[in-house]
Amino acid sequence: MNHRIFPMKRITPSMLTSLALDLRNGWSIGTFGAIGEFHHVPDDKVCLTSCPDGLEIVTQRGAIRISPSEPLHALAWDSLVGKGRRWRHSMALCGPLQLTAKHTLKVLGKDAEAVRPEDRDAWLIDLGIGVGQVRMCVRTENARLVEALAVDTDDPLAVVTAAFALLMEVQPHRVMLSPAGRLEVYQPIPAPDGDSPLGAHTHLLPKLVRLKRPCSALDPIPEGWQPFLTLHPAAPFRPSDDDSHDYDRLADLSFLPLLEEFGMEEDLQVSGTFQAHVRQHGTPENLKIPATRRGRARMHIELLRMEARGHEGMERFVPADTIKSATDCG
């Protein structure tokens, strides 16, 4: 998805640290099809430690070190999910997309920068499937796995795929690297038909990796930029016992300051127009439908928010094409 270039504000180190200290927030580092996620699971023991220019968060499931080596520019947005019945929050911390360096399968040596001291004697192997300045690696002390991946190849993904059985046997740590820091996953890799575990985990989807995209085309990242780190705030909906989802007004309201400070101009304009119209008329009826798909999706989210807060019948105002633009079926 191409979007016009627009200025993104730099996020300050103090704000980034404040967001990291809120353990309700999740994080990810990755590219389209190769991503690592870090989420704190309630009741898990957690260790928070200051590091040069940042913060480390460690649990038994994984760790993240947020320590940017260059300024990060923030972009916050909402996305439709659940076949257009719900929405979620995201904020990408971005830097310039640099495609000059070739990604290769390479043994990088002992992982001296590992978050935990006990992991620093293990070998770190770049899988060669990153994009721009973001890389996916594995870390292991297993000599067979190091040998299997120490291959000079023009097709790193084919080598990684061929080594899948050995990867499942050895269960190496996965390590995501970017200029924003690193994310480490200690939990086992699930079987192909298994569910992702709670907390830190990774996704590797070869068909998507071969597209060599820095992020999903559904993410409104301006051309020429790449997410180095993505914030996943507490979801505005919680699963309930009957497989439905309950609206979490506090989680929704908590994201609004980030949306107002780091959101896209179009989103803010559509929301402002929508809210002013409703204040004046008491209903979205006769409100002009935005001309762009992004604008219509934003209006759709405002309608869902009204309905979640007790206003019935909002679905009749939903722009028809935004249901198809929902980002997943969850």
Side-chain angles (χ1 to χ4, degrees):
M1 180 182 295
N2 290 323
H3 295 265
R4 65 182 178 82
I5 299 299
F6 58 92
M8 289 188 291
K9 292 178 62 175
R10 288 187 181 182
I11 189 168
T12 64
S14 61
M15 178 175 282
L16 189 55
T17 298
S18 177
L19 291 168
L21 289 171
D22 186 345
L23 295 180
R24 296 171 301 176
N25 290 329
W27 301 90
S28 65
I29 294 176
T31 59
F32 192 46
I35 192 167
E37 300 184 29
F38 179 88
H39 305 275
H40 175 249
V41 178
D43 298 328
D44 274 2
K45 182 179 178 181
V46 60
C47 179
L48 291 88
T49 307
S50 296
C51 64
D53 302 317
L55 181 74
E56 294 175 345
I57 309 173
V58 185
T59 75
Q60 71 267 32
R61 304 171 193 261
I64 187 168
R65 175 187 292 147
I66 300 175
S67 181
S69 59
E70 60 184 78
L72 299 177
H73 301 254
L75 179 66
W77 73 96
D78 292 324
S79 303
L80 288 165
V81 296
K83 296 182 179 178
R85 297 188 300 267
R86 302 187 304 278
W87 69 95
R88 68 182 173 201
H89 306 312
S90 303
M91 185 166 79
L93 292 312
C94 302
L97 174 60
Q98 299 180 10
L99 298 175
T100 53
K102 181 181 179 181
H103 287 264
T104 59
L105 191 60
K106 184 177 182 181
V107 179
L108 301 176
K110 298 296 182 73
D111 191 12
E113 298 299 320
V115 173
R116 302 186 305 187
E118 62 264 35
D119 296 320
R120 293 173 188 165
D121 283 332
W123 295 93
L124 188 66
I125 306 168
D126 186 342
L127 296 181
I129 55 177
V131 176
Q133 297 187 72
V134 177
R135 295 181 285 171
M136 175 177 266
C137 306
V138 293
R139 182 173 62 213
T140 185
E141 295 180 344
N142 185 283
R144 287 191 301 140
L145 182 57
V146 174
E147 182 179 1
L149 296 178
V151 176
D152 184 11
T153 176
D154 291 328
D155 191 353
L157 186 58
V159 176
V160 173
T161 302
F164 178 74
L166 184 56
L167 286 164
M168 292 297 292
E169 176 189 338
V170 174
Q171 291 292 339
H173 293 170
R174 281 81 70 214
V175 181
M176 307 300 303
L177 302 176
S178 88
R182 64 162 54 202
L183 190 154
E184 303 184 358
V185 177
Y186 311 142
Q187 298 198 101
I189 304 168
D193 58 350
D195 295 328
S196 296
L198 294 174
H201 60 275
T202 50
H203 298 279
L204 177 58
L205 304 172
K207 289 183 179 180
L208 303 186
V209 169
R210 289 204 179 278
L211 297 175
K212 298 185 183 299
R213 293 178 181 169
C215 60
S216 168
L218 293 169
D219 294 342
I221 307 301
E223 188 175 350
W225 293 83
Q226 174 177 21
F228 291 160
L229 176 68
T230 300
L231 167 70
H232 304 281
F237 289 89
R238 298 188 305 268
S240 61
D241 294 337
D242 62 356
D243 292 330
S244 63
H245 291 76
D246 296 328
Y247 177 58
D248 188 334
R249 185 183 179 105
L250 179 59
D252 195 27
L253 290 173
S254 296
F255 185 66
L256 291 184
L258 293 176
L259 198 60
E260 290 171 358
E261 183 166 1
F262 299 108
M264 294 179 288
E265 181 181 343
E266 181 180 15
D267 278 5
L268 299 176
Q269 288 177 347
V270 170
S271 292
T273 299
F274 180 94
Q275 292 162 13
H277 183 94
V278 170
R279 280 196 302 271
Q280 182 176 356
H281 302 284
T283 173
E285 196 164 8
N286 297 323
L287 178 62
K288 184 178 179 181
I289 303 296
T292 66
R293 171 164 286 195
R294 177 67 209 174
R296 293 191 291 276
R298 184 69 215 168
M299 180 180 171
H300 185 159
I301 291 169
E302 291 291 351
L303 289 163
L304 290 175
R305 182 174 282 117
M306 280 191 69
E307 188 161 77
R309 294 178 180 178
H311 299 268
E312 297 181 356
M314 293 299 104
E315 65 276 2
R316 71 181 189 274
F317 301 114
V318 170
D321 67 338
T322 59
I323 299 295
K324 296 180 181 179
S325 69
T327 57
D328 69 15
C329 297

